[in-house]
Amino acid sequence: MITRRTFIQKTSVTAASLPFLSHTLPYFENTTLHTQSGVLKVALMGLGSYANRVAKAMETCTRAKLVGVISGTPSKIEEWKNRYDLPEKNCYSYENYSEIESNKDIDAVYIITPNGLHCEQTLKVARAGKHVICEKPMAVNAKEARQMVDACEAAGVQLLIGYRMHFEPKTLEAIQLRTSGQLGTPLFFQGLSGFRIGDPNQWRLNKALAGGGAMMDIGIYSVNGARYMLGEEPIWVSAQETKTDPIKFKEGVDETIQFQMGFPSGAIASCLSTYSMNDLDRFYLNGTQGHIEMKPSTGYGPIQGKSHLGPLTAPVVTHQTVQMDAMAGILLHNESPIVPVDGKEGLKDMIIIDALYEAVKTEKKVALPPLTSI
Amino acid sequence: MITRRTFIQKTSVTAASLPFLSHTLPYFENTTLHTQSGVLKVALMGLGSYANRVAKAMETCTRAKLVGVISGTPSKIEEWKNRYDLPEKNCYSYENYSEIESNKDIDAVYIITPNGLHCEQTLKVARAGKHVICEKPMAVNAKEARQMVDACEAAGVQLLIGYRMHFEPKTLEAIQLRTSGQLGTPLFFQGLSGFRIGDPNQWRLNKALAGGGAMMDIGIYSVNGARYMLGEEPIWVSAQETKTDPIKFKEGVDETIQFQMGFPSGAIASCLSTYSMNDLDRFYLNGTQGHIEMKPSTGYGPIQGKSHLGPLTAPVVTHQTVQMDAMAGILLHNESPIVPVDGKEGLKDMIIIDALYEAVKTEKKVALPPLTSI
């Protein structure tokens, strides 16, 4: 069994740099800053399949707890109330969830609805004075994302984006290999993000609800991954779209986009976003002194990876359990994650995705605004 | 030991489709067409390190034999004469090699000189009535390549390009997996071709002699590989250049180019050509029913690969031995290789490379002329 101690010994990192593991300790060892209750009390908004996965994962959280739901479907609310023993007073509809403002038993709302609804819902939750955790992509474009960041700031609540990979141990081990210099200077990142999508009638293939196609849903993993694997912000993008099935993938819903990014150091990224291929989900990072391959790199199941030094050895965890405990640490105890998950982190990805869609349209390289000053 | 029979059984292909293996049989079993001597008598032009590798590999050829050399360095000629027991009358300088016309002991000249010299030298060898084997890239642009194809046709000699991978058993096994339908419809090819180049004063970094940089030398493997792995000709390209060291990589000498290709079926290719990274040399082919990864995919050493069905099992060979025996079959016995190696095959790559350089310059997608009609 890999204990926290042996893991830390193996990866030669300090406990302080491993907040994602802090949930294995009593939370109050980690901070003296918690002014609210010791456990983050979360309501989930949108009770689709991913919400089910998050709720199940939260059953083993030590610092976060599912306490309520927001849904448009009364039968789902009934089902969840029974399954998770939720009090009636913590269950809301889309019509009345502003009333959450007066509910002291809820600290944060995790929005897991279609992308096109995130902005409006985030604004409403912020106005109700609750912290927002918003699933990725945080919005359908940078304009909305900016609005969300501003609204949460104005309301004095925090906005976090559901970047579960930012807390995944092998991902952090890979990042640690880079930051410790063991790869030398990073030169090249390759990200393959995609799967063959099924049901043509799902909201993910509806422009109004999804804001786009594969890029919004799965390509964003390579956009975001390029940034945390290289440890830099891109300065330009280029992109090429391919559509083989215009009936399934309608106007504005991208099936396959190849895209490239350039970084200030001269490092480059080459990525694929697709809804029409399986056996992808691979990250590769090449540096002057070594390299890392992760495959699968962002799926829900165990992440696997190897570097020029050997296999990555950080423990297998349930991503959403670790994510929610870590987010409790951020929201309640002012902890800082190794890779940010705040609204500005999400905004950067939305700015890049806007530029990618522009590059597809114009078939030209698109310069990015300075992302480091956001 | 893997015999020819067990290999054929394993890969379920017929002997007729495996001309690259025919060197293991007495050559006259394979054909009744040979009108010239049974063994291809070859002179090597340009005695650099790759010529040394070819000459050494040819020692175990059964259908091709090194019989002469052309070099500008008398001491090298002396050394080679002794090492390979070459008669004086088969050794030429760059001044007098037109005289090869009257030398009945030479069938073909293998040109292994800097790229910028290939066109002129090919024209001269063709005029002397000898078959030309020209190392890749066949020229520095498509205009020169066309001239070479036309000149050889006019002179009634054959022109082959040194595409050694076209005879490499695991490469052919991968192609066989595609053509037999075991991958389903090919969707995506990824090619990584590169290495960190050393000596800044070598001819490969001289625009006049190399015609470009990494793309000409190593990127061409991904250009060519995309075509034989997908089994289609591209219709567009896009490309992005990155230069981190403008002193080593001068104007017109590309260090790193990311490039993409689109194909009529909707398949796409995403490739990297670089002189500044190690641990590349990887091909990946994704189809609706399966996938293949080859790594290394084009290096001189043993090629390794695996598909969704398991490891590729075709035998390890010395590439240049197999190439030269197969080329003897083409030039003397009218054999047809599975993947062409003629001048038109080379011309297609040069047309694509011209378009890639244009795409780098214009930062726009470039449409290709129809390559299938060449």
Side-chain angles (χ1 to χ4, degrees), chain A residues 4-33:
Chain A
R4 180 167 176 277
R5 176 166 298 173
T6 59
F7 169 60
I8 290 170
Q9 285 170 341
K10 276 179 192 210
T11 57
S12 309
V13 289
T14 65
S17 67
L18 287 173
F20 67 94
L21 282 179
S22 55
H23 71 285
T24 60
L25 301 173
Y27 83 93
F28 39 82
E29 269 195 23
N30 294 292
T31 177
T32 52
L33 288 173

Side-chain angles (χ1 to χ4, degrees), chain A residues 40-88:
Chain A
L40 184 74
K41 294 166 291 180
V42 178
L44 291 190
M45 179 187 291
L47 303 181
S49 69
Y50 192 64
N52 269 288
R53 186 181 287 268
V54 169
K56 202 169 159 37
M58 285 181 71
E59 291 184 302
T60 49
C61 276
T62 57
R63 306 209 289 177
K65 183 173 165 51
L66 174 66
V67 297
V69 290
I70 301 158
S71 169
T73 312
S75 61
K76 275 193 187 172
I77 292 186
E78 215 46 43
E79 196 188 315
W80 280 62
K81 261 171 60 182
N82 296 330
R83 194 184 314 148
Y84 294 105
D85 197 20
L86 308 175
E88 175 68 35

